[in-house]
Amino acid sequence: MRLSSLARSHVVVRYDDEVPRARAAVERADAEYAVVVTSDGVPLGVLGRPQLAAPGTATLTALADRCPVLAVVGGEPDELHPDELVDLADLVVREGLAFVLVERDGLPSGVVPRAAIEQALPLDLPDGSAVRSGNPDVAALRYVCRKCAPPTFHLPRAPEGDGRPPHCRRVFFHGAMEPDA
């Protein structure tokens, strides 16, 4: 399964943009989602068209604070193995995620909705008692920053350059993320 085949269209908008402007950018690009980023390009959350239709918010900052849990998946390699899909599905179900953000080279490259993950699951799912699989060079398959509210998750899928855990994607000062068991 290719991760890019599960991803849906998105536009990137800054957190200090006004909601009507972000809504217009989504409509102009005929995108399904808006990825809200800081001025440095760090993702804060993902908003769908229904969330952008909410009245009464001048900027995306307040709306982004109410974003659901952010889960970021590394987009390299593009091939998503069945065990990685099961691990991703487990996270989506456990945390009640509506979608996950896919990144390539630190930039948003797509948004995968929950429905796409549900449709992609193989019929013969492992029962979870199997030995951990995946890239043996990645210390953990999932990382979490519990200092974020709501928590931020990261599924790197490829080892970091220095072999250390990734830093929090939402707030750099939160430091290293911890493995999510």
Side-chain angles (χ1 to χ4, degrees):
M1 176 67 52
R2 294 206 172 274
L3 192 54
S4 59
S5 71
L6 299 176
R8 303 297 186 259
S9 59
H10 73 284
V11 294
V12 176
V13 293
R14 284 177 41 132
Y15 72 101
D16 54 357
D17 278 345
E18 295 178 353
V19 173
R21 192 170 164 193
R23 189 176 324 127
V26 167
E27 290 171 3
R28 192 171 41 254
D30 196 25
E32 295 180 47
Y33 299 98
V35 178
V36 181
V37 299
T38 65
S39 56
D40 297 334
V42 176
L44 293 175
V46 177
L47 300 171
R49 285 181 179 238
Q51 291 91 3
L52 289 171
T57 306
T59 65
L60 291 171
T61 306
L63 202 53
D65 288 341
R66 295 191 307 256
C67 282
V69 174
L70 179 63
V72 180
V73 179
E76 292 297 333
D78 191 34
E79 187 68 30
L80 191 65
H81 298 286
D83 58 314
E84 292 174 317
L85 182 59
V86 169
D87 196 48
L88 180 61
D90 174 62
L91 178 64
V92 167
V93 169
R94 183 171 47 106
E95 297 298 326
L97 303 177
F99 33 71
V100 296
L101 175 64
V102 179
E103 281 189 337
R104 281 201 175 78
D105 299 324
L107 300 173
S109 67
V111 175
V112 178
R114 179 186 184 119
I117 295 169
E118 289 172 350
Q119 290 176 354
L121 284 173
L123 297 176
D124 54 340
L125 291 176
D127 63 3
S129 62
V131 176
R132 174 189 179 268
S133 55
N135 187 336
D137 297 325
V138 177
L141 295 178
R142 292 188 307 229
Y143 290 92
V144 61
C145 177
R146 298 195 194 286
K147 294 175 186 172
C148 286
T152 301
F153 292 88
H154 185 63
L155 290 81
R157 301 188 60 234
E160 297 287 322
D162 54 9
R164 293 185 292 179
H167 273 76
C168 175
R169 297 293 296 138
R170 192 175 273 174
V171 180
F172 180 78
F173 296 112
H174 285 176
M177 300 176 88
E178 60 187 74
D180 181 41

